[in-house]
């Protein structure tokens, strides 16, 4: 049995999950399953995160639901050619996406060509009409250097990101508490000058309620006890929901991260 405090963490986590299926072999049947799992007797996740080819299907299935639809663009490679990314973004929004998770050109950024990343983020931001939101994926495990992660966070925010996100979940190192601390500190440092609410999304490798507890504790410490909500904090995960439901119900279960 999990302790009451861990049950509380599980309850808190449920509504912060972007329930994800970015498997290469994802099918329409898998999307039906994902949507069916997005709401349960304990509540609902914040969003589902899926490939753009499934947006219309998901939008139909979720038309009476509070669950939002997120999709990924320039994924997972973070290429430098912005034109197809803009086309993909506009189509995704037209099809019903509420949130666009953009992989910034992180290789170019790591090479020192920061303008390439800034210009792409700015262009994609301009292609997303309100109230749709932009999350910018920094791919922190590939940037590696704390100074680069800090600067990438600042640039993403300056160019219009609604969320800054750690990872695609497709590289060797994804979300870490170290990268989370850097990114949250940037949010804290820039809060007064932003004049708008900007969120944080750790993604990839977050599998257990204990994992979630550590990230939530960090956010509470750096941003304040009342900062975390679905509007400011998301977990990008495919298998965390299993562990969260087990935690709420007082069961012990390992989740399976599949992307």
């Amino acid at each position: 049995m999990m302790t009451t405090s861990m049950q509380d963490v599980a309850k808190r986590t449920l509504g912060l999950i972007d329930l994800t299926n970015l498997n290469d072999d994802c099918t329409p049947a898998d999307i039906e399953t994902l949507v069916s799992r997005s709401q349960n007797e304990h509540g609902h996740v914040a969003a589902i995160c899926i490939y753009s080819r499934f947006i219309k299907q998901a939008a139909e299935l979720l038309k009476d639901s509070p669950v939002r639809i997120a999709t990924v663009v320039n994924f997972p490679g973070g290429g430098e050619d912005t034109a197809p990314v803009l086309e993909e973004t506009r189509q995704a929004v037209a099809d019903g996406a509420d949130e666009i998770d953009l992989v910034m050109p992180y290789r170019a950024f790591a090479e020192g060509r920061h303008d390439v990343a800034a210009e792409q983020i700015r262009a994609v931001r301009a292609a997303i009409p309100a109230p749709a939101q932009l999350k910018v994926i920094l791919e922190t495990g590939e940037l590696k250097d704390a100074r680069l992660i800090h600067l990438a966070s600042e640039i993403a925010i300056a160019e219009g990101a609604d969320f800054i996100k750690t990872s695609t979940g497709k590289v060797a190192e994804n979300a870490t508490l170290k990268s989370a601390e850097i990114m949250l500190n940037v949010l804290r440092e820039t809060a007064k000058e932003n004049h708008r609410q900007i969120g944080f999304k750790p993604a990839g490798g977050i599998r257990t309620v204990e994992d979630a507890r550590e990230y939530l504790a960090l956010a509470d410490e750096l941003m304040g006890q009342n900062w975390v909500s679905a509007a400011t904090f998301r977990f990008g995960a495919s298998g965390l929901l299993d562990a969260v439901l087990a935690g709420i119900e007082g069961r012990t279960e390992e989740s399976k991260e599949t992307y």
Side-chain angles (χ1 to χ4, degrees):
M1 293 286 288
M2 299 188 70
T3 66
T4 301
S5 61
M6 292 301 282
Q7 288 176 331
D8 289 342
V9 172
K11 291 175 183 177
R12 185 185 186 192
T13 300
L14 175 60
L16 305 175
I17 296 173
D18 281 3
L19 184 61
T20 301
N21 188 329
L22 295 174
N23 297 332
D24 293 338
D25 60 354
C26 184
T27 67
D30 293 328
I31 297 301
E32 287 188 23
T33 299
L34 196 76
V35 168
S36 70
R37 298 183 68 237
S38 68
Q39 301 177 85
N40 56 68
E41 61 185 304
H42 302 295
H44 61 82
V45 301
I48 61 169
C49 187
I50 56 178
Y51 283 122
S52 57
R53 63 183 178 272
F54 298 115
I55 293 171
K56 286 185 177 180
Q57 178 192 1
E60 179 63 25
L61 293 170
L62 288 168
K63 61 184 177 182
D64 298 317
S65 168
V67 177
R68 294 168 66 86
I69 299 172
T71 193
V72 290
V73 298
N74 207 22
F75 185 92
E80 298 178 32
D81 187 355
T82 298
V85 181
L86 291 175
E87 182 178 351
E88 188 179 13
T89 298
R90 294 187 182 106
Q91 187 62 57
V93 173
D95 287 346
D98 302 297
E99 301 172 1
I100 301 294
D101 289 25
L102 164 70
V103 184
M104 75 170 201
Y106 61 87
R107 293 185 184 88
F109 190 87
E111 293 168 359
R113 293 181 288 132
H114 303 159
D115 58 320
V116 174
E119 289 168 7
Q120 186 175 103
I121 295 166
R122 187 184 316 132
V124 173
R125 170 75 272 175
I128 301 174
Q133 292 189 304
L134 172 64
K135 305 192 196 87
V136 176
I137 304 172
L138 309 184
E139 202 67 289
T140 54
E142 295 294 291
L143 293 181
K144 302 184 189 304
D145 185 271
R147 292 168 297 179
L148 277 180
I149 296 169
H150 192 282
L151 181 59
S153 299
E154 290 180 326
I155 289 174
I157 292 166
E159 298 301 344
D162 296 299
F163 276 75
I164 49 176
K165 176 178 171 181
T166 61
S167 321
T168 60
K170 299 290 189 180
V171 294
E173 180 181 293
N174 293 290
T176 67
L177 289 168
K178 180 180 177 181
S179 60
E181 183 175 5
I182 296 165
M183 295 166 72
L184 286 166
N185 271 322
V186 173
L187 291 181
R188 183 175 64 171
E189 292 162 5
T190 60
K192 289 184 180 179
E193 59 197 63
N194 288 333
H195 305 298
R196 60 192 178 90
Q197 186 168 259
I198 301 165
F200 169 66
K201 178 177 173 179
I206 300 169
R207 300 181 174 89
T208 68
V209 176
E210 176 59 27
D211 290 339
R213 184 194 68 78
E214 292 181 336
Y215 283 95
L216 291 171
L218 181 64
D220 288 343
E221 176 186 351
L222 295 178
M223 306 300 293
Q225 293 287 326
N226 298 319
W227 182 77
V228 170
S229 72
T232 57
F233 190 103
R234 303 284 184 83
F235 289 109
S238 59
L240 179 60
L241 180 61
D242 295 329
V244 163
L245 293 178
I248 291 172
E249 296 167 3
R251 299 180 285 108
T252 300
E253 181 174 329
E254 289 289 328
S255 79
K256 297 178 177 61
E257 195 84 0
T258 58
Y259 79 99

